[in-house]
Amino acid sequence: MKRRRVAVFGSTGSIGRSALNCLSRLSSRFQVVALAANRSVDILCNQAMRFQPKWLLVGAPDLADGVRRRLGSRMQVGVGQDILAEVAGSRDVDILIMAMSGTTGLESVMAALRNGKRVALATKEILVAYGAPVLRAARHGHAELLPIDSELSALHQCLDHRPIETVRRVLLTASGGPFWSRGSRPDARVAEVLCHPTWSMGPKITVDSATLANKGLEVMETVHLFGFAPDQVEAIIHPQSTVHALVEFNDGSVIAQLSVPDMRLAIQYCLTYPARLSSPAKFLSLPAVRCLEFYQPDMRRFPCLRLAYQALRTDPIGPCIFNAANEVAVRAFLSGQIEFGAIPRIIRSVLFKLNRTARASSRITVARLRRIEAQATAFARELVGRN
């Protein structure tokens, strides 16, 4: 059997490392041909020595020089977005795992999709902010776009190619982060916010989980990827993080996907789909779970979730604005520039201003969304500076 060739962009982050863990176990089926990281070159070089890829891609020329000195000429070392996109769309790549932060990997995703690759997308911001052109590229390239996200992966499994016309609603579960049961203070400190009860993730996504902005982004992602109306997609608090998504059909039947909370399941699903292979995750013991609890999220307590729905319903460019404003606000909170409670206020203000002044054209293009993203980012930074 010919091995499928995989590029892992964002290989030094938590998703990238989990992906390489899966790939090492499936080495008879997959070959790592490219690794990309921004600045974590020590980890990248260690990964390179283990997997021996053809390409190593980094974020700056000085880092590339350091990689070359350490590894010699055994691998091709590249710098910048152009080479990332070139590798992603090349004939030597079959699957792109996109785990780079934010929307920085957009051009690589577009290149892979245009050239008919399978893209395993861990970076939900790309689909949230650039959903229309990304899906156009997938259609035109006859490519596959699969989400590396426990909830959207679960939703993909529950739907199993059933027509969306048969679906009444879908439910995405959320652990609720550290504050769902006791509420959060506007002045909550970074250490409190980063204390997630279930998942071990990067700081940005952990803050998003505490505000439920992450669930709002997943609602947007679901609407874009699967074609549901915003009112068909609901978020529900599920502290056990055992049920990851549910689909309710028109006849009243509900199909749910359950598993232990382990991102390697969603990653391996994207790699091997439609096959089901043995995975490194533990098997689920229902007696050990004992109970499954579900609660409606309080939109007053979690205004970021409410704003996400508002962004979806008001204008096609709303998700792009929401994502950019949230990126700036979370970064400012983590660096101590604003308090925790300022995050939704900044998002609300940016949405209000730009949804009035930056009306969407009939065709949503990458260039158009780039301008909107830049405007939202600039205004959000201005608001941070006023705090």
Side-chain angles (χ1 to χ4, degrees), residues 323-346:
N323 179 67
N326 182 61
E327 287 269 358
V328 172
V330 171
R331 196 178 306 118
F333 167 68
L334 288 170
S335 63
Q337 295 175 271
I338 62 171
E339 65 176 14
F340 184 62
I343 294 174
R345 295 199 297 269
I346 288 172

Side-chain angles (χ1 to χ4, degrees), residues 9 81 84-86 88-90 96 98 103-117 119 121 126-127 129-143 145 363-367 369-370:
F9 286 8
Q81 293 298 321
L84 281 167
E86 181 182 333
S90 73
L96 170 65
M98 175 49 69
T103 58
T104 55
L106 173 64
E107 294 304 329
S108 299
V109 167
M110 296 289 281
L113 293 173
R114 291 189 192 107
N115 286 279
K117 316 295 182 184
V119 173
L121 188 61
I126 288 176
L127 199 53
Y130 292 90
V134 166
L135 292 174
R136 278 200 303 270
R139 286 193 301 270
H140 294 164
H142 304 287
L145 184 59
R363 182 176 174 85
I364 308 298
T365 65
V366 168
L369 291 170
R370 285 259 191 233

Side-chain angles (χ1 to χ4, degrees), residues 82-336:
D82 289 344
I83 188 64
L84 281 167
E86 181 182 333
V87 171
S90 73
R91 294 180 180 180
D92 292 328
V93 172
D94 300 310
I95 300 173
L96 170 65
I97 296 177
M98 175 49 69
M100 295 165 61
S101 63
T103 58
T104 55
L106 173 64
E107 294 304 329
S108 299
V109 167
M110 296 289 281
L113 293 173
R114 291 189 192 107
N115 286 279
K117 316 295 182 184
R118 173 178 290 187
V119 173
L121 188 61
T123 314
K124 59 177 63 67
E125 290 86 353
I126 288 176
L127 199 53
V128 167
Y130 292 90
V134 166
L135 292 174
R136 278 200 303 270
R139 286 193 301 270
H140 294 164
H142 304 287
E144 294 178 291
L145 184 59
L146 297 176
I148 295 183
D149 188 296
S150 58
E151 290 79 15
L152 270 81
S153 174
L155 185 55
H156 189 274
Q157 295 172 63
C158 292
L159 288 168
D160 195 24
H161 297 292
R162 294 177 178 90
I164 64 171
E165 293 80 12
T166 65
V167 177
R168 179 175 177 266
R169 61 175 178 160
V170 300
L171 295 101
L172 304 176
T173 60
S175 70
F179 303 131
W180 77 269
S181 62
R182 57 186 173 89
S184 64
R185 305 187 317 276
D187 62 346
R189 289 180 289 185
V190 171
E192 297 175 83
V193 175
L194 294 182
C195 187
H196 197 281
T198 306
W199 301 97
S200 176
M201 307 174 290
K204 196 270 180 183
I205 191 173
T206 306
V207 175
D208 285 346
S209 294
T211 64
L212 281 195
N214 188 54
K215 206 52 49 179
L217 293 171
E218 288 174 8
V219 169
M220 296 175 182
E221 193 180 12
T222 298
V223 168
H224 288 160
L225 184 59
F226 296 103
F228 292 109
D231 291 339
Q232 287 182 282
V233 185
E234 298 182 22
I236 190 165
I237 303 294
H238 172 51
Q240 291 78 25
S241 297
T242 299
V243 180
H244 301 293
L246 307 95
V247 176
E248 182 180 56
F249 293 92
N250 293 332
D251 62 0
S253 299
V254 177
I255 293 178
Q257 191 269 347
L258 292 75
S259 70
V260 296
D262 190 326
M263 286 306 302
R264 292 176 297 179
L265 283 169
I267 293 166
Q268 182 168 302
Y269 179 79
C270 287
L271 289 168
T272 64
Y273 176 79
R276 296 275 191 174
L277 304 178
S278 175
S279 85
K282 295 179 180 178
F283 285 92
L284 179 66
S285 168
L286 289 176
V289 174
R290 299 185 65 179
C291 72
L292 298 172
E293 300 171 286
F294 301 94
Y295 305 92
Q296 288 289 342
D298 185 340
M299 295 290 190
R300 293 170 300 177
R301 185 182 295 174
F302 297 106
C304 287
L305 181 58
R306 184 181 70 248
L307 290 167
Y309 278 103
Q310 178 183 322
L312 264 174
R313 291 170 177 143
T314 54
D315 198 286
I317 62 173
C320 184
I321 298 170
F322 178 99
N323 179 67
N326 182 61
E327 287 269 358
V328 172
V330 171
R331 196 178 306 118
F333 167 68
L334 288 170
S335 63

Side-chain angles (χ1 to χ4, degrees), residues 361-383:
S361 59
S362 58
R363 182 176 174 85
I364 308 298
T365 65
V366 168
R368 171 72 171 167
L369 291 170
R370 285 259 191 233
R371 291 193 293 272
I372 296 298
E373 185 177 48
Q375 291 169 359
T377 298
F379 184 48
R381 286 173 177 165
E382 180 184 329
L383 293 174

